[in-house]
Amino acid sequence: MQLLDGRKVSKEILHSLQKEVAALEKKHIHPKLTVILVGKDASSVSYISQKQKACLTTGIQWEQFDYETDVTTEILIEKIKDLNADETVHGILVQLPLPKQVYVPDVIRAIEPKKDVDGFTAYNLGKMFLSTEFEYLAPCTPLGVVRILEHYKIAIEGKEVVVVGHSNIVGKPLSVMLLNRNATVTTCHVYTKDLASHTRRADILCVAVGKPGLISAEMVKEGAVVIDIGINKTNEGKLVGDIDFEAVGKKAAYVTPVPGGMGPMTVACLMENTIKAAKRLNFQ
Ligand code: GUN
């Protein structure tokens, strides 16, 4: 089994983005990412610190706005409107999840699509649906999957791809982006009958559920490519994905580790989107 080293590939991406930021700086454009964080959810704080670190590496400016957990939908929308109007801001990211009194669709809808570096707005998702040509700001985790497959020269076209998980952030957009690249895509989820009968057919198996040990070796085809997008904390505080890494590793040709797989790739793609947005806002 070969490891798909997200840490290494993300470093390469960040290094090349650093050069792009330097080139933009020469043209007096200073790419800037703004992040809205509500509360102090441990996972959100950890994800955000990784994003901030990547900004430091690439030279992208970072500004964070913290809110208490009793914040309202209206307060967040007002802040987003300010950031939409601010010409020094190129990316707006609202860290999810939000507390239950906040209506997430209205918050996302308030983000100017040109600054929607998470690729969560209906506008960007709708464009992404059309073809690769219109994947302008695509969701970062699915984009990370495409980038890591590209890096290791793993072909997508014509492959049997099975995506497990149908969230709006990962499973659904990932299925569409792989379909855009001419894979035969099956999307499985919590209501799928006999999950193993699907996963066993996969040349490329992508799992984004959030359930440790969901995918055992018996559920994986010999020589498959396995992309583990789950991030779970065990009772001992260890980070693990959704696959039985040891056992699946003996059967698969390629596997992404957790940590060090899709997490860093997601962050690198967020940086890629921020620079893309900065260029588009200034040159088009
Ligand atoms: N929460 C978990 N993943 C994500 C992500 O990709 N973007 C945002 N904004 N929040 C998240």
Side-chain angles (χ1 to χ4, degrees), residues 80-264:
I80 291 168
K81 280 184 180 163
D82 286 349
L83 297 173
N84 285 343
D86 185 340
E87 283 188 8
T88 70
V89 172
H90 307 100
I92 303 169
L93 181 152
V94 181
Q95 187 65 30
L96 302 178
L98 291 171
K100 59 180 182 310
Q101 80 277 6
V102 175
Y103 189 60
V104 178
D106 279 352
V107 172
I108 302 295
R109 192 154 58 114
I111 301 171
E112 158 61 46
K114 288 191 170 81
K115 299 187 180 186
D116 167 32
V117 286
D118 251 335
F120 288 173
T121 59
Y123 179 83
N124 286 320
L125 287 171
K127 284 186 73 175
M128 180 271 283
F129 185 87
L130 297 172
S131 73
T132 55
E133 190 190 339
F134 297 101
E135 288 172 7
Y136 152 53
L137 290 174
C140 302
T141 302
L143 187 58
V145 174
V146 169
R147 288 283 177 268
I148 205 160
L149 292 172
E150 283 172 352
H151 180 92
Y152 285 93
K153 301 192 166 42
I154 297 168
I156 299 171
E157 192 162 270
K159 295 285 177 68
E160 286 287 338
V161 174
V162 174
V163 176
V164 186
H166 69 332
S167 71
N168 287 333
I169 294 183
V170 182
K172 267 193 249 178
L174 176 59
S175 294
V176 172
M177 287 172 74
L178 295 169
L179 183 59
N180 282 345
R181 288 160 179 79
N182 302 320
T184 302
V185 183
T186 303
T187 311
C188 299
H189 43 74
V190 66
Y191 296 102
T192 299
K193 293 176 198 154
D194 195 3
L195 177 63
S197 71
H198 296 282
T199 59
R200 271 197 288 265
R201 291 188 298 102
D203 301 315
I204 302 175
L205 175 60
C206 305
V207 190
V209 173
K211 213 170 161 188
L214 176 69
I215 304 295
S216 62
E218 295 71 49
M219 297 169 77
V220 175
K221 184 164 96 172
E222 192 85 38
V225 178
V226 182
I227 309 285
D228 191 350
I229 308 164
I231 303 181
N232 313 288
K233 215 173 220 172
T234 63
N235 291 335
E236 296 78 44
K238 196 173 155 233
L239 278 187
V240 296
D242 289 348
I243 68 164
D244 178 349
F245 184 80
E246 286 293 315
V248 169
K250 292 194 177 88
K251 209 165 172 192
Y254 297 91
V255 181
T256 61
V258 178
M262 294 318 302

Side-chain angles (χ1 to χ4, degrees), residues 63-78:
E63 195 169 0
Q64 186 176 329
F65 302 96
D66 291 335
Y67 290 87
E68 300 292 333
T69 46
D70 62 357
V71 75
T72 63
T73 306
E74 292 70 31
I75 289 173
L76 292 178
I77 290 175
E78 277 312 304

Side-chain angles (χ1 to χ4, degrees), residues 14 49-60 267-268 271:
L14 293 182
S49 84
Q50 287 158 35
K51 293 168 189 180
Q52 186 173 15
K53 221 192 244 167
C55 278
L56 271 175
T57 304
T58 50
I60 294 172
V267 173
M271 300 300 118

